[in-house]
Amino acid sequence: MDRKIKRIVIIVLAVILVLLVFSGYGYVAQKMTANDGIEYLNNKEYQKAYEKFHKAAGKFTLFWTKQKTDVLLYEGEALYQLERYDDAIEVYDRLIDKGESRGYSFKAFCYAGKGNESKAIEVCNEGIKEMPEAGNIYCTKYGILAKQEKYEEGIKVLETALDRDNLEDRKEVLFTRIGAYESTFDFDKAYEYAKEFVKEYPNDKDGKKELTFLETR
């Protein structure tokens, strides 16, 4: 009986070892293939970029890693640039299933690209409901509303986000709010928030640039 147990243990360990070896190889191969895709993406060769990212996403890895998330984000970006919005949405749905908040934002952008802005807002609302701490989704919703020139409604969305104590991407939301008030020509309010932003993030170049612009008005 003991011998049988030992054999089973040895077999299990051997299988695990093989899986780890293949997974390690897959991880490295995934990274190298994705790097090629990034180069194509930077050169705006979107079809070639997509092919590389799709191939990288298919590499075997034992666990879901940050690298896998990044690869899928890149794959979705390439598909978006190719205006293959439905295919991109499928990629972003995979990321949403893994709890990636950016999946909601980019999925919303795909619907906006298709001209279905009401669906894009619906996706943002779903994301905010599921992940109310994800500041990037609020910014995306603001962006879609701003495209419709619904600035006041969009500002309310940003203020709702900033009311949350555990807000992620708070810096992004604060910066977006500055531009939002500029869009409504409320430069005094924008200037006030720009000063607060630079005080909180003194090394942020974009914040300093906005403050300088508003100081000249």
Side-chain angles (χ1 to χ4, degrees):
M1 189 69 180
D2 289 340
R3 289 182 180 178
K4 289 183 178 179
I5 293 175
K6 287 180 180 179
R7 287 176 183 175
I8 293 172
V9 170
I10 291 171
I11 292 171
V12 170
L13 290 175
V15 170
I16 291 174
L17 181 61
V18 170
L19 286 174
L20 288 172
V21 170
F22 275 103
S23 180
Y25 173 79
Y27 183 86
V28 173
Q30 185 179 76
K31 184 174 183 178
M32 293 175 65
T33 305
N35 285 341
D36 291 338
I38 292 170
E39 186 173 344
Y40 284 127
L41 192 65
N42 290 336
N43 292 329
K44 299 183 179 181
E45 297 180 68
Y46 300 121
Q47 179 59 37
K48 290 181 179 179
Y50 160 69
E51 291 170 1
K52 288 293 183 180
F53 293 132
H54 185 68
K55 183 177 180 181
K59 297 293 184 181
F60 171 77
T61 54
L62 194 57
F63 305 104
W64 188 283
T65 63
K66 180 181 180 299
Q67 178 173 283
K68 180 65 174 286
T69 295
D70 291 341
V71 168
L72 288 175
L73 286 169
Y74 281 126
E75 182 180 357
E77 172 65 14
L79 288 167
Y80 177 86
Q81 295 296 341
L82 290 167
E83 298 185 0
R84 292 173 55 181
Y85 300 120
D86 289 333
D87 292 330
I89 287 170
E90 289 184 9
V91 173
Y92 294 133
D93 277 337
R94 291 180 64 189
L95 288 164
I96 288 170
D97 288 341
K98 291 296 180 178
E100 174 54 59
S101 64
R102 288 172 291 179
Y104 286 106
S105 287
F106 294 131
K107 181 178 178 179
F109 283 134
C110 287
Y111 279 110
K114 294 175 67 174
N116 192 345
E117 292 173 350
S118 62
K119 180 63 176 178
I121 292 294
E122 183 181 318
V123 171
C124 290
N125 289 338
E126 290 173 1
I128 290 170
K129 181 180 179 180
E130 293 297 322
M131 308 182 74
E133 74 286 350
N136 67 85
I137 306 176
Y138 295 90
C139 290
T140 299
K141 185 176 179 180
Y142 166 78
I144 295 167
L145 289 169
K147 186 179 179 182
Q148 298 173 299
E149 298 185 358
K150 298 179 180 179
Y151 300 112
E152 296 293 342
E153 185 178 346
I155 287 173
K156 290 179 181 179
V157 171
L158 298 176
E159 296 293 356
T160 298
L162 292 169
D163 284 339
R164 299 197 64 84
D165 294 330
N166 59 341
L167 182 69
E168 298 171 0
D169 305 310
R170 184 171 180 273
K171 180 180 177 182
E172 180 184 352
V173 180
L174 289 171
F175 186 78
T176 301
R177 182 172 63 173
I178 298 169
Y181 277 101
E182 288 179 9
S183 297
T184 63
F185 301 102
D186 190 344
F187 295 107
D188 290 337
K189 201 72 172 177
Y191 178 54
E192 176 188 336
Y193 286 132
K195 286 192 295 183
E196 291 180 7
F197 183 89
V198 171
K199 183 178 180 180
E200 189 168 350
Y201 304 101
N203 297 321
D204 188 90
K205 294 181 180 179
D206 291 330
K208 290 180 179 179
K209 184 177 179 180
E210 280 298 309
L211 181 58
T212 301
F213 165 74
L214 289 164
E215 285 175 336
T216 61
R217 293 196 61 82

